[in-house]
Amino acid sequence: MKIQVNKGGKKGRGLAPYIILSPYLLHLLLFVLFPIVFSVVLAFHKWNIISPMEYVGLDNIQRLFQDRLFWKSVLNTLKFLIVHIPLQIVIALALAYFLNEKILMRGFFRATFFLPVVISGVVVTMVWQQLYGLETGLLNRALIALHLPRVEWLSNPYMAMISIAVMATWKNVGLYVILFLTGLQTVPRSYYEAAEVEGASAWQQFRYITLPAINPTLFMVAVLSTIGGFSLFIEPYIMTDGGPLNSTLSAMLYIYKQAFGYYQMGYSATLGLFFALLIMSVVAVQKLVIEKES
Amino acid sequence: MASIRFEQVSKRYGKVTAVAQADFEVKDKEFMVLVGPSGCGKSTLLRMIAGLEDISEGGLFIGGERVNDLPPKDRDIAIVFQNYALYPHMTVYDNLAFGLKIRGLKKEAIREKVLEAARILEIEALLDRKPKAMSGGQLQRVAIGRAIVRSPKVFLFDEPLSNLDAKLRGQMRLEIARLHKKLQTTVVYVTHDQVEAMTLGDRIAVMQQGIIQQIDTPQNLYRRPANRFVAGFIGSPPMNFIPGAINQSSQGFVFEDDSLTYAFPLPASAAWEPHTGRRVEMGLRPEHFSARPPQDGLPYASFEVEVQHIERLGHESFAFAQWGKYALAARLSADEDLEPPCRITLWASLDKMHFFDLESGRAVG
Ligand SMILES: Nc1ncnc2c1ncn2[C@@H]1O[C@H](COP(=O)(O)OP(=O)(O)O)[C@@H](O)[C@H]1O
Ligand SMILES: [Mg+2]
């Protein structure tokens, strides 16, 4: 028997789909495809915006591998991720867990935790800069009031990136709370009731029922926050400008500085492409792990 | 010993009373079915036994011990849910072993118990499978397996068969009955399906709007329904009802229908006396009609009806007919050859008639 496949009726639709899609296609062309192609071209050139481009072959790539500061910025970004991602996942999951219970003013809390997500990153960073202030910051004043030593939140090179990671977690956690809440709500009540009758404690119910059930959400959150974390920029840009001692110089911030601080457009493009490849390979590994798990 | 005793147990959700003053006992090893229409409070009653719902009022006793404040795990009960509630990420083996593992049993002891339960339910071949890869009937068996593996004192079932197709439902019904005979455990079984209730229950509690209407054996519920609700709920197609009044005539007590067109003599009894002049409904089951006059010599009544529709089931037929202004259903033997519409006479013994007070619904006579 022959099976007829409907090819979507190509005939007769004409240009209509393309016209409807055109605003998006235009955007894609101007702001996604063109920059990618242009940065590939740039990667083989030297260009300071003002003078004409100069072809330099693989010089930029060679320079990248010898650029210690770039590798430090990559390492800084990884440090940030190591603090940020677990913190984000644990806090988001804990909040989601409690917001899923029948607690007072649940709707209010759900909205409140989401609020920082929609506030501008610049505003959030400026507020936290005040909180982290060495002498007058709210945190240190609280510590002093409790007769504890104050903390150099942003001026200690070991502390600064951790402080930024905490702030970034505060800012983004609401989004992941929502994702986890959605995951939690797909678990039928009767699973927990059956477990309760069997004698499982709250922790055992979480460990053996909730956690496996929200596994897909867990991985989605991990991937999203990895991608988000790699693009760390606004926070160190505003708070520390990469200092002290380049300890908060994230890869994105370094790439930005190469372009708009030193006008090394070609080199900056090279770094950008390389970093994009790095992110893609990390996400590809995560994807492999997810597919293996499920 | 695992009897379950309700002493004036009520459950309220805010203003809604889900269960009102339940007061009865499920005997040790008894198979008790709670039946009633959706929303009547069956699940709530069951979940109070499990400890999944708090008791608003009254006392609940399992094996003589008051359990109102005992957490579910300490009540030594197992519950089978309508959606089975099997954990999708665990194999059947792990699902069965879960409760034992939680309770800290040794690996070998767990294995022994799981295999035993699997053997009883004939699901040994499924032990390595995950729930996703199983049919409804298999899931049902596994869910029951998880309940029996701990050998609890009491089994609770909440509409366990309602996700199965009719044929499988029939099979599983038999299986559950067989299992009860074998395990000799107290069972409380919730269903909205009266066939399940009648076939499974040692006794049946019929519920409506949070109130238990009658508790009795299937036979007695059928023969002597305590009120109009129970009479209409048990039996399919449901009992026919004809409104009228009990009056006294020169021949003794009679039932006269509202239009005063018909009057049936009632069996001579003093029991009618207090109901004389009161509005009642006469109830008569479809299966108590016959297309021929009864040959047993008992007094009977006849109904000239207009048959409008016939459902032929092969071994029997149901006639849907008009009698004056009342619609009647009657079961007829399969060899009655009728071509509706047609006029026939239906016959019924007087002693098959039930009477219910119109106001209170209570059975009279
Ligand atoms: N958690 C709850 N909150 C409020 N009302 C409830 C709750 N659970 C059940 N009810 C109400 O109690 C009544 C009985 O419900 P239920 O026991 O589930 O009925 P059944 O199992 O007989 O269908 C219904 O009116 C239902 O709406
Ligand atoms: Mg129910």
Side-chain angles (χ1 to χ4, degrees), chain A residues 188-201 204-205 207-213 294, chain B residues 47 50-52 72-73 77-79 81 83 85-90 98-100 102-103 146 150:
Chain A
R189 246 273 41 90
S190 58
Y191 285 13
Y192 295 109
E193 290 175 345
E196 203 176 328
V197 170
E198 301 284 359
S201 64
Q204 284 168 325
Q205 291 180 30
R207 166 77 189 74
Y208 294 113
I209 299 165
T210 311
L211 218 46
S294 59
Chain B
R47 292 161 58 82
L52 295 170
K73 69 182 167 74
I77 49 109
I79 180 163
F81 293 90
N83 68 354
L86 296 170
Y87 306 130
H89 54 279
M90 294 186 197
F98 183 71
L100 303 173
I102 292 289
R103 277 163 207 253
R146 180 172 64 182
R150 271 192 296 115

Side-chain angles (χ1 to χ4, degrees), chain A residues 25-167:
Chain A
L25 289 176
L26 202 67
H27 169 91
L28 191 74
L29 208 66
L30 280 181
F31 297 106
V32 181
L33 287 179
F34 172 71
I36 289 176
V37 173
F38 188 51
S39 56
V40 171
V41 172
L42 270 180
F44 298 97
H45 290 81
K46 196 172 163 176
W47 188 43
N48 67 2
I49 303 186
I50 300 157
S51 359
M53 279 193 225
E54 181 189 329
Y55 180 74
V56 293
L58 299 179
D59 279 8
N60 282 333
I61 295 169
Q62 217 163 18
R63 180 174 161 197
L64 181 155
F65 284 104
Q66 287 155 4
D67 185 350
R68 294 202 149 181
L69 199 51
F70 173 64
W71 291 105
K72 184 174 169 66
S73 75
V74 171
L75 211 64
N76 283 340
T77 309
L78 291 179
K79 265 190 212 163
F80 168 79
L81 288 177
I82 285 171
V83 180
H84 175 63
I85 294 178
L87 200 63
Q88 180 117 287
I89 289 178
V90 169
I91 293 179
L93 189 50
L95 286 176
Y97 184 83
F98 289 109
L99 289 179
N100 196 35
E101 300 289 303
K102 280 183 196 144
I103 56 166
L104 219 58
M105 304 209 296
R106 186 161 70 163
F108 169 77
F109 283 118
R110 285 181 181 182
T112 307
F113 285 117
F114 191 70
L115 212 53
V117 177
V118 291
I119 298 177
S120 137
V122 177
V123 172
V124 168
T125 308
M126 282 163 57
V127 169
W128 276 77
Q129 204 166 13
Q130 301 293 320
L131 286 178
Y132 280 147
L134 192 59
E135 303 288 345
T136 53
L138 211 57
L139 290 177
N140 274 350
R141 285 211 298 221
L143 288 176
I144 289 164
L146 294 169
H147 301 288
L148 292 167
R150 62 179 196 190
V151 176
E152 298 178 285
W153 297 109
L154 295 173
S155 43
N156 178 327
Y158 296 103
M159 196 60 214
M161 194 52 118
I162 297 174
S163 302
I164 288 182
V166 169
M167 175 187 67

Side-chain angles (χ1 to χ4, degrees), chain B residues 93-111:
Chain B
Y93 184 94
D94 290 334
N95 263 292
L96 294 189
F98 183 71
L100 303 173
K101 216 151 70 182
I102 292 289
R103 277 163 207 253
L105 262 72
K106 291 243 163 37
K107 262 212 163 69
E108 305 82 70
I110 293 177
R111 194 169 173 74

Side-chain angles (χ1 to χ4, degrees), chain B residues 147-188:
Chain B
I148 71 172
V149 75
R150 271 192 296 115
S151 326
K153 280 192 297 202
V154 176
F155 286 128
L156 306 174
F157 291 87
D158 194 351
E159 314 232 6
L161 305 185
S162 45
N163 287 354
L164 302 179
D165 62 54
K167 189 167 169 215
L168 211 50
R169 213 158 41 218
Q171 274 174 23
M172 286 308 294
R173 219 162 56 208
L174 280 176
E175 198 121 352
I176 289 174
R178 191 179 58 101
L179 202 65
H180 175 245
K181 214 166 261 156
K182 184 180 167 95
L183 298 176
Q184 296 280 314
T185 317
T186 312
V187 173
V188 182

Side-chain angles (χ1 to χ4, degrees), chain A residues 102, chain B residues 13-14 16-19 36-45 47 53 158-159 190:
Chain A
K102 280 183 196 144
Chain B
Y13 295 106
V16 180
T17 300
V19 174
S38 175
C40 70
K42 316 176 289 285
S43 294
T44 304
L45 198 58
R47 292 161 58 82
E53 301 288 350
D158 194 351
E159 314 232 6
V190 162

